[in-house]
């Protein structure tokens, strides 16, 4: 249990940090692609759609799963708090509240990662719709 106690924050925040980095990297890549895309290079709607929606699934998956990673950190933090209480027999309310408050930071961080990811995903999806409509107008 000491191993989990010592490395829980590093693992959870490291994973959430990695998810944030990947999201930001993919969002920047998509915006740069959208700025440079030439709709005339595509002669079929499916080919255009594949090119425009590349990496959007990853962004959506990160947005959907980051809260669960944070929740895992919270559950493990609460488990550690109760384990420490059971081992030490100290039922000081301040100790309990401090352990629970520290555990909840993981959920907050998961939301900090998820909310922007979902917002970026929706914005990129809207851009895909706009570009697809522009392509269809050019075809007619």
């Amino acid at each position: 249990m000491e191993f989990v106690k010592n490395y829980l924050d590093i693992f959870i925040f490291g994973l959430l940090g990695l998810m944030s980095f990947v999201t930001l990297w993919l969002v920047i890549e998509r915006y740069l692609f959208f700025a440079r895309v030439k709709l005339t290079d595509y002669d079929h709607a499916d080919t255009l759609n594949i090119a425009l929606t590349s990496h959007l699934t990853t962004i959506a998956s990160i947005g959907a799963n980051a809260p669960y990673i944070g929740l895992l950190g919270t559950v493990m933090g609460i488990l550690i708090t109760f384990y420490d209480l059971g081992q030490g027999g100290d039922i000081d309310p301040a100790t309990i509240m401090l352990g629970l408050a520290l555990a909840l930071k993981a959920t907050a961080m998961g939301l900090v990662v998820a909310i922007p990811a979902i917002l970026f995903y929706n914005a990129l999806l809207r851009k895909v719709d706009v570009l697809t409509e522009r392509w269809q107008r050019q075809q007619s």
Side-chain angles (χ1 to χ4, degrees), residues 22-70:
V22 169
T23 299
L24 188 59
W25 173 53
L26 292 176
V27 166
I28 291 170
E29 185 274 333
R30 286 287 85 196
Y31 274 114
L32 291 175
F33 177 77
F34 291 159
R36 294 177 313 197
V37 69
K38 292 183 177 137
L39 298 177
T40 55
D41 291 348
Y42 298 93
D43 34 341
H44 197 272
D46 291 337
T47 308
L48 176 66
N49 190 41
I50 290 169
L52 293 177
T53 59
S54 177
H55 304 304
L56 293 186
T57 303
T58 304
I59 296 169
S61 296
I62 289 172
N65 289 299
Y68 294 116
I69 301 297

Side-chain angles (χ1 to χ4, degrees), residues 110-131:
L111 293 173
V112 166
V113 172
I115 292 169
I118 295 299
L119 291 173
F120 281 127
Y121 171 75
N122 288 332
L124 291 168
L125 208 54
R126 171 69 180 145
K127 188 72 172 165
V128 167
D129 290 342
V130 169
L131 290 170

